[in-house]
Amino acid sequence: MQQFDVIVVGKGNAALCAALSAREQGARVVMLEAASVDESGGNSRFAGGVMRFAYDSVENLKLITEIPDDEAKDTDWDSNTKDQFFDDLFRVTSYRTDPELSEALVTKSLEAMVWLRSQGVRFVPTYRAQSAIVSGKRKFFGRMPIEVSGGGPGLVQYLTDTAVKKGIEISYETRAVALIYDGERVLGVKAKVRGKPVDFHARAVVLACGGFEANPEWRTRYLGPGWELAKVRGTRFNMGDGLRMALEIGACPYGNWSGRHAVSWERYAPEFGDLNLPHSSYRHSYPMSLMINADGKRFVDEGVEFYNYTYAKYGGEVLKQPGQLAWQVFDAKVKDILRPEYHDKAVTRVTANTLEELAAKLEGVNPEAFLKTVREFNAAVRTDIPFNHAIKDGRCTVGIEPPKSNWANPLDTPPFEAYATTCGITFTFGGLRIDPRTGQVFDVHLNLIPGLYTAGEMVGGIFYFNYPAGTGLVSGTVFGRIAGGAAGAAARAK
Ligand SMILES: Cc1cc2nc3c(=O)[nH]c(=O)nc-3n(C[C@H](O)[C@H](O)[C@H](O)COP(=O)(O)OP(=O)(O)OC[C@H]3O[C@@H](n4cnc5c(N)ncnc54)[C@H](O)[C@@H]3O)c2cc1C
């Protein structure tokens, strides 16, 4: 038996932020991480590291990273005011996001970034992925001008270094299996340390051990038939253990339990994410493509928004297609603006000098139907509207279903390229119901469970149906800080 003030289950971004915040309260903290050191860090370690937070101007950004004065002046940094952030979150979640949780997320997002910096995290502008030169001036689009230096691996490493420095204990290869609960309050965690049962006791427990995205049985149960076939973009360790453990003692489920973040992903990607090639399966340039299914047909408006606002739901659309397959087809006009992953080695790509030749190479696709789709699409493009990938250019189609609302280009310039994709799941939206001020978990009768807190992917009620890019990490930091701070304070108050 081991005694602590606070136990944090998990060692991703939310868990590390919770542990550091509990430590700031003077608590003795242990983190239980199911993975070995090599595989530790959860989905946070797979993340690209872009972060969506509220900012009014470049002056706010300077609180997070160094930006030389001339760069600050010569760049259009856009803005993501609190109102814009709220509007995006409400719009993409079809106005279902919990108002109190989203209020906490949005209003505390900038201070969360400043706090991360104070914990040793380094940030840089997202010049490569989120900006372009427009009329001679660099302009950001998509409201995410900052990312972690070194991406998700960088974030986890910075925070781990600080946690170790601050005396937080980390027990690797330690899988939490059940809460120790006396019927009234949570007293600790039953775990398996390298296969051997060990009880960890504490005055407060923070569960920050992810959703159930890696568990094919739960995916099928909650997301629906077919979801067992999705590829997992990140860690293999998020099996829904934390959710199960909490539900077993009567915690209240909350949010969009059939919802998930899922994207277009390399068709032949491995079953789980690969830490050595974390980005090569991304296929986020689809707004510049035609997405074609096995019947040779388009099935979504590829250009309805910047990818930041559609990518998290379009994976689900790909999963619904025959064979869970879609080809993204581009012509030479947009080749130079595709994201760098399209040029990696581990991609399923075919190229051709004519559309007929390409049609024959699109494995699994009806070639005649594909050629008919392209002919009709090409004839429908409003070529009188200029193309500009850095803004929603309004260059659309007329008279076809589904339409393409922006960035519509006739496919007419060889060589043509096509990329085979399937659905890759990122994380699940269903979670637990918490008090947004403390991160403490409610039971099914909406009484708070003494000693139990949660953060990160396990918080239900924020995301429904869709998700604005860059929000997962910020949510983990905001609610990790809230839960860890409250758990630390409660444990020290006794
Ligand atoms: C490929 C990819 C790219 C992404 N890019 C971005 C991005 O650029 N920006 C962004 O904001 N978000 C991004 N995300 C989403 C983001 O990574 C997640 O929203 C976020 O990392 C979730 O943090 P978390 O701490 O809740 O969970 P995780 O980071 O997944 O941590 C969960 C932890 O719990 C551990 N665990 C699980 N079960 C147990 C158990 N029983 N006992 C002990 N430990 C356990 C896991 O090992 C892990 O350490 C991306 C995700 C992926 C997969």
Side-chain angles (χ1 to χ4, degrees):
M1 202 264 279
Q2 304 211 33
Q3 180 70 47
F4 295 87
D5 293 329
V6 175
I7 296 167
V8 177
V9 182
K11 212 211 83 174
N13 171 54
L16 283 158
C17 293
L20 286 162
S21 301
R23 189 79 193 104
E24 283 176 349
Q25 299 297 322
R28 187 170 166 229
V29 183
V30 66
M31 305 185 74
L32 311 184
E33 164 61 303
S36 64
V37 178
D38 285 352
E39 283 190 275
S40 67
N43 279 341
S44 304
R45 187 141 157 231
F46 288 86
V50 285
M51 315 268 293
R52 179 176 298 266
F53 56 91
Y55 71 98
D56 295 323
S57 69
V58 68
E59 293 312 312
N60 293 148
L61 305 180
K62 286 180 174 173
L63 301 172
I64 300 165
T65 185
E66 313 234 323
I67 301 176
D69 285 346
D70 53 339
E71 243 172 71
K73 195 159 47 64
D74 297 342
T75 303
D76 175 353
W77 294 90
D78 202 0
S79 66
N80 189 31
T81 64
K82 287 181 185 146
D83 283 350
Q84 287 171 320
F85 195 171
F86 272 123
D87 285 351
D88 281 343
L89 195 53
F90 274 80
R91 181 172 43 81
V92 304
T93 60
S94 301
Y95 303 90
R96 292 299 295 265
T97 182
D98 178 293
E100 285 185 52
L101 291 170
S102 50
E103 164 111 22
L105 173 61
V106 169
T107 59
K108 292 179 191 299
S109 59
L110 178 60
E111 69 178 62
M113 296 293 287
V114 176
W115 178 83
L116 281 174
R117 188 185 197 186
S118 75
Q119 302 301 312
V121 178
R122 293 288 158 256
F123 294 99
V124 289
T126 50
Y127 288 125
R128 185 183 55 80
Q130 301 287 326
S131 78
I133 304 292
V134 182
S135 310
K137 186 169 181 170
R138 181 162 293 282
K139 177 178 168 40
F140 279 90
F141 48 81
R143 299 182 180 146
M144 295 190 300
I146 299 292
E147 65 186 334
V148 181
S149 169
L155 177 66
V156 170
Q157 194 59 56
Y158 291 128
L159 292 175
T160 303
D161 290 348
T162 306
V164 170
K165 232 182 272 164
K166 294 200 170 167
I168 292 168
E169 290 183 43
I170 305 173
S171 183
Y172 290 99
E173 295 177 72
T174 301
R175 179 181 171 212
V177 290
L179 291 167
I180 302 171
Y181 179 60
D182 67 2
E184 202 177 331
R185 58 173 304 120
V186 169
L187 302 167
V189 171
K190 285 189 173 298
K192 284 205 164 175
V193 184
R194 283 175 282 284
K196 297 259 179 309
V198 177
D199 286 359
F200 290 82
H201 284 249
R203 299 195 175 97
V205 173
V206 182
L207 295 173
C209 46
F212 56 88
E213 53 274 4
N215 184 333
E217 196 263 343
W218 277 44
R219 290 205 302 270
T220 315
R221 198 189 313 180
Y222 292 109
L223 308 184
W227 279 94
E228 70 278 22
L229 303 173
K231 306 273 181 179
V232 178
R233 296 180 68 206
T235 179
R236 66 191 174 93
F237 289 95
N238 290 359
M239 297 289 287
D241 281 342
L243 293 167
R244 175 189 50 75
M245 285 157 49
L247 296 179
E248 274 169 7
I249 66 153
C252 186
Y254 193 48
N256 189 197
W257 272 73
S258 59
R260 72 280 128 178
H261 179 307
V263 304
S264 295
W265 196 241
E266 159 60 40
R267 186 180 186 191
Y268 298 106
E271 184 183 0
F272 300 104
D274 178 351
L275 282 167
N276 296 314
L277 284 174
H279 304 138
S280 71
S281 294
Y282 283 47
R283 298 292 176 266
H284 289 347
S285 295
Y286 62 83
M288 305 301 144
S289 79
L290 297 196
M291 281 165 71
I292 302 288
N293 69 14
D295 298 330
K297 296 199 171 128
R298 293 173 55 245
F299 52 93
V300 288
D301 181 343
E302 301 89 342
V304 68
E305 288 251 24
F306 284 114
Y307 89 85
N308 304 11
Y309 301 109
T310 56
Y311 78 127
K313 65 177 179 182
Y314 277 2
E317 297 304 316
V318 173
L319 189 91
K320 283 185 206 158
Q321 305 311 307
Q324 304 81 47
L325 161 72
W327 285 88
Q328 296 179 3
V329 187
F330 304 90
D331 76 1
K333 294 195 293 298
V334 293
K335 187 166 187 236
D336 290 342
I337 54 173
L338 300 189
R339 289 172 56 109
E341 306 83 52
Y342 284 78
H343 309 301
D344 275 10
K345 284 205 183 110
V347 297
T348 307
R349 178 201 305 112
V350 292
T351 56
N353 281 319
T354 65
L355 286 167
E356 289 70 21
E357 189 191 337
L358 186 73
K361 288 185 173 176
L362 296 181
E363 191 198 345
V365 174
N366 176 328
E368 290 80 28
F370 164 70
L371 290 170
K372 179 167 179 282
T373 298
V374 175
R375 271 195 304 274
E376 288 171 359
F377 179 87
N378 285 356
V381 173
R382 286 276 310 270
T383 48
D384 54 315
I385 302 170
F387 170 78
N388 185 342
H389 77 286
I391 55 171
K392 279 170 76 173
D393 62 4
R395 182 170 155 118
C396 58
T397 56
V398 278
I400 55 167
E401 269 305 318
K404 187 168 180 187
S405 301
N406 293 284
W407 311 298
N409 271 323
L411 268 185
D412 58 7
T413 310
F416 301 99
E417 287 189 348
Y419 295 79
T421 67
T422 187
C423 168
I425 186 166
T426 320
F427 67 95
T428 47
F429 293 161
L432 304 177
R433 189 168 195 135
I434 60 161
D435 178 338
R437 292 162 306 176
T438 60
Q440 198 172 347
V441 177
F442 283 110
D443 72 11
V444 285
H445 292 149
L446 299 188
N447 298 309
L448 288 167
I449 302 176
L452 188 62
Y453 301 79
T454 195
E457 290 177 2
M458 290 188 61
V459 175
I462 303 174
F463 306 119
Y464 289 78
F465 313 119
N466 192 9
Y467 155 105
T471 321
L473 292 175
V474 170
S475 168
T477 300
V478 167
F479 291 104
R481 286 183 75 202
I482 291 175
R492 297 290 291 166
K494 302 278 157 58

